[in-house]
Amino acid sequence: MPRDRVVVVGAGVAGLVSAFALAARGLEVSVVERGATPGGKMRQIGIGAAQIDSGPTVFTMRWVFDELFDAAGRNFADHVRLRPLDILARHAWDENARLDLFADEARSAEAIGDFAGAAEAARYRSFCRDTKRIYDILEKPFLRAPQPSMRGLIGAGGFRGLMQLPQIKPFSSMWSALSQYFHDPRLRQLFGRYATYCGSSPFEAPATLMLVAHVEREGVWSIEGGMHGLARALADGAKSFGATIRYGQEVSEVLTACGRTTGVRLSSGERIEADAVIVNADVAAVAGGLFGISARRAAAVIPPRARSLSAMTWSVVAKASGFPLSRHNVFFSSDYAAEFDDIFRHDRLPREPTVYVCAQDRNSDAAVPAGEERFLILVNAPANGDRHSYDAAEVEQCAQRTFGVLERRGLRIPRLQDATQVATPADFNQLFPATGGALYGRSSHGWTASFQRPGARTRVPGLYLAGGSTHPGPGVPMAALSGRSAAACLMEDLGSISQSPKTAMPGGMSMR
Ligand SMILES: Cc1cc2nc3c(=O)[nH]c(=O)nc-3n(C[C@H](O)[C@H](O)[C@H](O)COP(=O)(O)OP(=O)(O)OC[C@H]3O[C@@H](n4cnc5c(N)ncnc54)[C@H](O)[C@@H]3O)c2cc1C
């Protein structure tokens, strides 16, 4: 029996998950990746001998990967070494105002009580209850579904009708909902920051996204070898099931005949025939015609004003001083509304950014590295990298503001030229074409936005989409879910084609 052939375009986490799942089921899978390594955004940058995770750093929802490996008869923990973190993140507003959130809800409540009073701690408890409820309501009919609609959710197949709709809070903004839970503005800022995990502003995202707080409470892990180690494990797993991965090769067109996908053409001119193609590039690239005219029909254009956040990042090797860093640290700006106004309304870098610092050689406070350590430092930025060039003066001004925020909160990280690498929205636009540097697809602003991300199936038979710009959304585990969903839809569709005795093929009828 000839095996069904699938081409996966892109070795981001979703593409790798699709390849892993399909190869494990016996399909003939070829992954084509324009970069030199697997992982896409989950990339590492080398500075001297150090490899620095310069994309995602917070790993959550490990069950997504446990299930993927289980389904293939393997144990995730045998392939990726995970360590749970007690402290989810350390937050600082000035040299004295600091607050840790813990994986243990009771410890967080106690810390919040010490920081902002017993009433605020009690409100935190009800926040935890409500965010868990939002997550529980949405996990099956939204996160795990291939492409849900609000109507479907309310209807028989989704959650229990209109009764549950108010509980997921789709119609109020995250900021206004948080204002009801927390009277201390610093706590609103802390929990509002979860909107940025979906590339969005807490002032415009629906309160539903508060569920991210629950996801983090369920566990954050560090990965031995860094997040990029996860990409390598997925790539190795896919290859062990027979998939091939070709790096440094770009797909320039998805080929179709008689309206059905027949393979891809590489920019070298080579053609790879396939029964189905999964595109893991951003949907903006598909809609922008980077995969040819036929594929363009598979996704709707994302107008620049609907793009999610980009970022300015500094990958740094240095010896830090003055602040007791945990692994994940957030240094807040003094005016959160002004920060998102700068980005989303004025299309400019924030004048005073909130700064995230990942101290990659730390897991707990107990082990502080003796010498230099590896950092990823990130501030949010507008996704305008396709129309704004970010010259050296602007990058330096942003660095001074960013490192100035850290110093005013007590942290000094020296910036030596040969030990620092910067990425701007323009760099991200080059890495992920047609996005303007948007790192999370479409922003989740307004209650309809989550339903506007395309699902795995497209209007072009045999062409599927997977990745953080598709349903259910951005983030490593969410993109992984989309990859799983693309693989499942493709298997289902190929199954129905294989079962039909005669299938229209280019050049006549074929028996399969
Ligand atoms: C700085 C940063 C920090 C982040 N922090 C977190 C975090 O802490 N936790 C978290 O969960 N998520 C985080 N994210 C988001 C997360 O990284 C992404 O949502 C996720 O990795 C996206 O995966 P993806 O499957 O969409 O593929 P992508 O990573 O977007 O990869 C797509 C791949 O397709 C390839 N490709 C594109 N076009 C072509 C072509 N024509 N031919 C061949 N190959 C092509 C690209 O080279 C790329 O490798 C962060 C992202 C960034 C950038």
Side-chain angles (χ1 to χ4, degrees):
M1 281 284 286
R3 293 190 297 162
D4 289 314
R5 294 159 308 169
V6 178
V7 170
V8 178
V9 183
V13 63
L16 291 170
V17 164
S18 299
F20 183 102
L22 292 170
R25 295 287 296 271
L27 277 73
E28 189 182 317
V29 180
S30 310
V31 182
V32 183
E33 164 57 53
R34 69 201 277 270
T37 55
K41 295 184 178 75
M42 215 156 48
R43 66 197 183 117
Q44 275 183 336
I45 286 179
I47 295 183
Q51 291 295 321
I52 304 176
D53 269 339
S54 299
T57 50
V58 180
F59 181 67
T60 55
M61 291 169 74
R62 67 168 284 183
W63 59 263
V64 175
F65 295 93
D66 282 328
E67 286 183 7
L68 176 77
F69 277 70
D70 274 359
R74 300 222 172 140
N75 180 9
F76 181 48
D78 292 342
H79 299 269
V80 177
R81 290 259 165 81
L82 300 171
R83 188 191 284 203
L85 297 179
D86 297 342
I87 300 177
L88 300 180
R90 176 156 295 163
H91 308 85
W93 287 264
D94 58 42
E95 272 195 274
N96 303 312
R98 292 177 192 165
L99 173 65
D100 286 353
L101 274 195
F102 298 90
D104 177 7
E105 188 183 317
R107 277 183 83 188
S108 294
E110 198 183 317
I112 288 173
D114 293 344
F115 180 75
E120 211 67 334
R123 286 189 282 269
Y124 168 71
R125 294 277 202 183
S126 62
F127 174 74
C128 292
R129 262 195 314 276
D130 292 354
T131 49
K132 177 178 184 331
R133 187 177 309 126
I134 297 175
Y135 181 87
D136 288 346
I137 292 172
L138 288 176
E139 184 190 316
K140 198 155 166 248
F142 185 80
L143 293 182
R144 287 177 181 269
Q147 191 176 15
S149 64
M150 184 60 110
R151 185 190 286 216
L153 282 177
I154 294 170
F159 56 73
R160 270 177 265 122
L162 283 169
M163 296 298 288
Q164 287 186 323
L165 190 58
Q167 297 179 35
I168 63 164
K169 304 180 195 295
F171 305 123
S172 47
S173 82
M174 194 165 173
W175 192 259
S176 67
L178 286 169
S179 306
Q180 286 162 21
Y181 288 103
F182 300 109
H183 296 182
D184 187 321
R186 296 170 301 180
L187 294 177
R188 285 178 216 153
Q189 200 175 15
L190 189 160
F191 292 107
R193 184 173 159 273
Y194 286 128
T196 65
Y197 284 32
C198 302
S200 304
S201 158
F203 299 91
E204 297 185 62
T208 317
L209 286 191
M210 295 188 309
L211 66 77
V212 179
H214 171 75
V215 165
E216 269 211 357
R217 264 196 326 276
E218 290 285 285
V220 174
W221 290 263
S222 66
I223 295 182
E224 198 177 289
M227 288 290 281
H228 186 66
L230 173 62
R232 282 197 305 271
L234 289 168
D236 290 348
K239 283 193 282 188
S240 73
F241 291 121
T244 58
I245 307 186
R246 295 168 61 170
Y247 295 107
Q249 312 220 3
E250 186 168 41
V251 169
S252 58
E253 190 179 355
V254 172
L255 301 169
T256 56
C258 303
R260 194 182 157 80
T261 306
T262 54
V264 298
R265 191 195 320 274
L266 308 189
S267 40
S268 62
E270 184 189 347
R271 290 164 67 109
I272 306 177
E273 311 290 328
D275 300 291
V277 171
I278 297 176
V279 175
N280 176 215
D282 197 285
V283 297
V286 177
L290 299 195
F291 294 99
I293 296 172
S294 308
R296 198 157 63 181
R297 289 192 301 126
V301 171
I302 302 176
R305 70 186 149 67
R307 286 175 179 165
S308 59
L309 290 166
S310 186
M312 287 281 277
T313 63
W314 291 263
S315 304
V316 180
V317 175
K319 184 163 172 50
S321 59
F323 185 97
L325 287 162
S326 184
R327 186 180 182 90
H328 301 294
N329 310 271
V330 184
F331 298 83
F332 281 109
S333 65
S334 50
D335 186 344
Y336 219 30
E339 192 176 339
F340 288 99
D341 249 26
D342 277 342
I343 295 172
F344 283 110
R345 288 201 205 295
H346 301 294
D347 202 31
R348 65 186 176 207
L349 290 166
R351 284 158 299 166
E352 190 199 14
T354 290
V355 187
Y356 165 72
V357 177
C358 178
Q360 304 187 5
D361 296 299
R362 303 191 188 212
N363 276 312
S364 69
D365 291 309
V368 177
E372 292 189 321
E373 46 184 319
R374 299 168 300 158
F375 297 104
L376 176 70
I377 300 169
L378 179 151
V379 301
N380 293 317
N384 58 8
D386 50 350
R387 50 183 197 279
H388 186 82
S389 58
Y390 290 91
D391 61 23
E394 191 177 12
V395 172
E396 178 55 25
Q397 184 189 52
C398 183
Q400 284 181 14
R401 289 173 175 169
T402 301
F403 287 76
V405 165
L406 299 181
E407 279 181 25
R408 287 194 294 282
R409 283 142 191 79
L411 175 63
R412 280 175 300 286
I413 299 182
R415 279 190 295 137
L416 297 175
Q417 213 178 3
D418 58 354
T420 306
Q421 265 206 41
V422 188
T424 68
D427 296 323
F428 285 120
N429 181 57
Q430 277 207 343
L431 285 167
F432 310 107
T435 61
L439 298 171
Y440 314 87
R442 171 185 277 279
S443 71
S444 299
H445 293 168
W447 70 271
T448 55
S450 298
F451 299 103
Q452 287 172 21
R453 294 175 185 277
R457 284 194 177 92
T458 74
R459 285 198 283 170
V460 184
L463 176 59
Y464 301 83
L465 302 175
S469 57
T470 71
H471 174 77
V476 168
M478 302 277 271
L481 281 174
S482 82
R484 219 172 71 170
S485 173
C489 291
L490 185 154
M491 291 288 293
E492 201 177 293
D493 296 348
L494 283 182
S496 61
I497 291 172
S498 308
Q499 277 157 28
S500 74
K502 286 181 182 165
T503 305
M505 293 287 283
M509 302 298 278
S510 104
M511 299 292 287
R512 299 196 44 210

